[in-house]
Amino acid sequence: QDVASTWRRHYERLHLHTVKEYSALPFAPWPAGTPRYPSRQQVVEYLTRYAADYAETPQLGVDVQRIARTGERFTVQTSHGTRTPRVVVMATGYNGVANQPDVAGLATFGGTVMHARDYRHAHPFVGVRTLVVGCGNSGAEIALDLAEQGVDVSMVVRGPVHVVPRDMLGRPSQQTTVMLSHLPVGVRDAIAGTMLRFVVGDLSRWGIVRPDIGPTRMIESQGRIPMLDIGTIAMVKAGRIRVVPAVTSIGANTVQFVDGTTQPFGAIIFATGYRPGLEAIIDGFRSISDARGRPLHFAAETDIPNLHFVGFRNPPTGALREIALEAPRVAQAIRAAFQG
């Protein structure tokens, strides 16, 4: 394995959806000349340089199998033996295990089936009628990538979803979100709602309905991230991406939808998200996690002494920005605990 192995596997057209100023790790701004939204390859190069400049030599290719608190230390079972550290910091992120829906009839489908984590580019799907299940950031961008290459593509939108342009009124949406982040949630959502009604408008005629609750409250209460639009909506309006409702069942070469319609497809890409999957690794994890399998405490010691988590939030202000804030807090807390 390599540093930034996850980024190396991402689809080729991917760029950061957050601006470089808010996507840098501590002590290391992005190199001069980097575009506002760095590409996947630029992220790989940035993380590789960061590891070389600031990290201890990474021990690559080591699988952590189980972590348990034993007395004053942890017992960490790995593919390269057992270790007994005093402190454990989990920084594996919330995209640990891909969510693969159990749809009736999926096993009978005769075409290509994959999760978004395995999608690289549109070339294998040219000439193949393709269904993208999911309209989050990955699903929307994969559908866009397919449409740009002339693929006949449909995208499942199961329910109401907020659509936020990556850049709004000439300004990155993330910058506006950070600027408003000190305000109460209700005020932020009221401002965002007014802007989105003006900039995005009513998309219901294309099958995309705005939720009743605001985007910030939806993130905080349901963990549902808005679709950050970088061109998908224009393709929807142009008829090059068709919006379809939730899937109810799958046949040998067809998909049936909740509205009763059935359409033929030769490929299905599930952009249905991820979960951390830490319950299979950390003893007692369920007692310190929420219903979605995410830690209850971020950048602070959990109820399991000397166990910390970094990078398990995806707030409106940006996940990478949050990581750059969490990491120093965790380091300071560990230093204080063992110097006191």
Side-chain angles (χ1 to χ4, degrees):
Q1 296 184 6
D2 299 303
V3 172
S5 58
T6 298
W7 279 92
R8 295 175 192 273
R9 294 192 301 268
H10 280 317
Y11 48 93
E12 293 176 0
R13 87 179 308 280
L14 177 64
H15 286 65
L16 284 183
H17 292 163
T18 52
V19 296
K20 62 181 179 181
E21 292 83 1
Y22 292 143
S23 303
L25 297 176
F27 317 117
W30 284 84
T34 304
R36 172 178 283 176
Y37 299 103
S39 69
R40 179 191 64 86
Q41 184 57 36
Q42 287 169 324
V43 174
V44 169
E45 293 169 358
Y46 174 84
L47 294 176
T48 301
R49 284 194 302 269
Y50 193 90
D53 291 344
Y54 296 103
E56 296 286 342
T57 303
Q59 297 185 32
L60 303 173
V62 178
D63 294 327
V64 175
Q65 299 160 340
R66 199 70 184 167
I67 299 172
R69 179 78 179 178
T70 308
E72 296 298 315
R73 291 182 174 270
F74 290 89
T75 298
V76 181
Q77 299 173 2
T78 80
S79 57
H80 284 55
T82 299
R83 309 183 188 195
T84 57
R86 297 171 69 184
V87 178
V88 170
V89 179
M90 294 298 296
T92 51
Y94 51 82
N95 289 354
V97 179
N99 291 326
Q100 183 74 46
D102 183 16
V103 183
L106 178 59
T108 68
F109 186 70
T112 299
V113 177
M114 68 169 59
H115 191 272
R117 67 178 178 185
D118 299 314
Y119 178 85
R120 297 294 178 270
H121 49 73
H123 300 162
F125 301 93
V126 173
V128 180
R129 201 161 190 266
T130 302
L131 177 67
V132 177
V133 181
C135 63
N137 288 333
S138 293
E141 187 162 4
I142 288 172
L144 174 61
D145 191 37
L146 293 166
E148 287 176 339
Q149 301 305 314
V151 176
D152 185 334
V153 57
S154 298
M155 178 178 68
V156 170
V157 179
R158 292 192 304 165
V161 60
H162 284 290
V163 175
V164 178
R166 187 178 65 178
D167 296 278
M168 190 158 42
L169 303 177
R171 177 187 179 92
S173 295
Q174 185 193 17
Q175 290 182 351
T176 302
T177 301
V178 171
M179 182 180 67
L180 299 177
S181 61
H182 66 285
L183 297 174
V185 172
V187 176
R188 279 182 274 166
D189 279 344
I191 295 172
T194 300
M195 296 177 69
L196 293 176
R197 281 191 291 274
F198 173 73
V199 175
V200 178
D202 183 4
L203 301 176
S204 59
R205 62 179 288 193
W206 292 282
I208 301 174
V209 178
R210 184 180 294 115
D212 293 332
I213 65 174
T216 304
R217 194 171 300 281
M218 177 167 279
I219 292 172
E220 295 187 355
S221 64
Q222 302 177 23
R224 293 178 58 193
I225 306 298
M227 179 201 297
L228 199 64
D229 181 37
I230 58 172
T232 302
I233 296 303
M235 286 291 192
V236 169
K237 291 180 177 179
R240 295 176 62 184
I241 298 175
R242 290 183 299 277
V243 173
V244 293
V247 175
T248 56
S249 63
I250 296 174
N253 57 7
T254 59
V255 175
Q256 184 172 28
F257 300 97
V258 70
D259 63 358
T261 61
T262 299
Q263 299 184 32
F265 289 98
I268 302 174
I269 301 171
F270 285 100
T272 43
Y274 303 82
R275 64 185 188 278
L278 296 180
E279 65 279 356
I281 298 174
I282 301 174
D283 277 3
F285 179 72
R286 294 188 187 279
S287 67
I288 59 170
S289 63
D290 62 19
R292 290 179 286 134
R294 302 189 182 192
L296 294 172
H297 299 284
F298 305 98
E301 187 177 43
T302 67
D303 291 340
I304 299 177
N306 293 325
L307 175 63
H308 302 261
F309 294 91
V310 172
F312 287 86
R313 295 188 65 211
N314 196 6
T317 49
L320 291 174
R321 178 179 180 271
E322 191 67 23
I323 289 170
L325 297 172
E326 289 179 345
R329 290 203 297 267
V330 167
Q332 292 164 8
I334 293 170
R335 183 183 302 114
F338 291 98
Q339 286 180 345

